[in-house]
Amino acid sequence: MSYSIAIDGPAGAGKSTIARQVAKRLGFIYVDTGAMYRAMALYLLRKGIAADDGERISEACKDADITIEYADGEQQVILNGENVNGSIRTEEVGNMASASAANKEVRIKLVELQRNMAAKKNVVMDGRDIGTYVLPEADLKIYLTASSAVRAERRHKELTEKGIECDFDAIERDIIDRDDRDMTREFAPLRQAEDAVLLDSSYMGIEEVIDSIMELFHGKK
Ligand code: C5P
């Protein structure tokens, strides 16, 4: 039997940092499902397929082979034989992922991959629909959120530190738009599962959130 922890929530709430650390402490595998949607988005961008072109996306779902490998404990996304980890973190890919993730066929394809991974290994999986749709029987479900202002502030700091010029208001607007797309799509939208524990990282440090999740998991096991 394998254990699974589902961490869902809006963009920029700190899910990946926290999920990665929790997985490390427990010796579980960290599964970043957003990276899979980004790989699919990269495929669509390269082929010049629009996010609302259902017919061509349907074809793309058959042609894009997405698999996951691990190197030094880090998830590597392989798209038709190419490791695309270095190409999926751009704004362009992020925006396309946000738009194309509303497509049902894209979701069904990637959810199958995610469920197969959780069936074989102990996982901490983060995303938007893990507790509600991908792993409804997860041992622990966390809904991690933070105010849009706090999330925009973190993103602004991250970009500024990288030397990238950016506008705080534009970042916050982008975050609100992405949340809106994730929460209002028809198929498997972002929402808190009934049995998920709500954690708000607006005023909690990373370590505090990780410790809370560890305590919750050990209490449930
Ligand atoms: O988490 P990340 O920003 O890398 O995800 C990229 C996009 O993929 C998100 O904006 C979201 O719309 C989508 N996504 C999703 N379901 C998931 C993970 C990500 O719809 N489980």
Side-chain angles (χ1 to χ4, degrees), residues 48-62:
I49 300 174
D52 59 359
D53 188 340
E55 213 167 295
R56 290 189 73 198
I57 289 185
S58 183
E59 277 304 305
C61 284
K62 291 182 205 118

Side-chain angles (χ1 to χ4, degrees), residues 11-42:
K15 295 190 299 294
S16 59
T17 308
I18 285 155
R20 185 179 278 110
Q21 288 301 320
V22 170
K24 204 170 176 187
R25 285 206 203 171
L26 290 168
F28 287 11
I29 280 182
Y30 165 48
V31 183
D32 171 2
T33 63
M36 302 175 189
Y37 287 92
R38 285 172 181 267
M40 191 63 207
L42 180 66

Side-chain angles (χ1 to χ4, degrees), residues 103-194:
N103 182 286
K104 188 174 176 178
E105 281 183 74
V106 168
R107 302 202 73 80
I108 286 175
K109 174 188 173 76
L110 299 179
V111 167
E112 188 188 0
L113 176 63
Q114 293 154 16
R115 286 185 179 150
N116 284 341
M117 291 179 77
K120 290 191 206 122
K121 308 262 190 196
N122 295 325
V123 295
V124 179
M125 191 177 283
D126 80 0
R128 306 294 190 287
D129 58 343
I130 312 305
T132 52
Y133 184 73
V134 181
L135 305 175
E137 306 298 330
D139 298 282
L140 174 65
K141 297 179 187 178
I142 303 292
Y143 191 82
L144 184 68
T145 188
S147 69
S148 59
V150 166
R151 289 184 284 133
E153 217 169 277
R154 289 180 190 153
R155 182 85 184 125
H156 186 262
K157 186 165 172 261
E158 195 185 311
L159 291 172
T160 310
E161 277 169 4
K162 281 188 195 162
I164 301 169
E165 228 176 274
C166 53
D167 173 55
F168 178 85
D169 291 335
I171 292 176
E172 189 175 16
R173 264 197 314 275
D174 187 53
I175 280 179
I176 292 170
D177 285 351
R178 282 197 197 191
D179 289 355
D180 187 58
R181 275 200 292 274
D182 282 331
M183 288 172 171
T184 57
R185 71 172 163 244
E186 213 170 302
F187 188 67
L190 167 65
R191 61 179 175 79
Q192 184 182 340
E194 271 173 28

Side-chain angles (χ1 to χ4, degrees), residues 189-210:
L190 167 65
R191 61 179 175 79
Q192 184 182 340
E194 271 173 28
D195 51 351
V197 178
L198 175 68
L199 294 178
D200 188 330
S201 74
S202 305
Y203 308 105
M204 280 170 98
I206 288 176
E207 287 300 317
E208 206 182 329
V209 175
I210 295 169

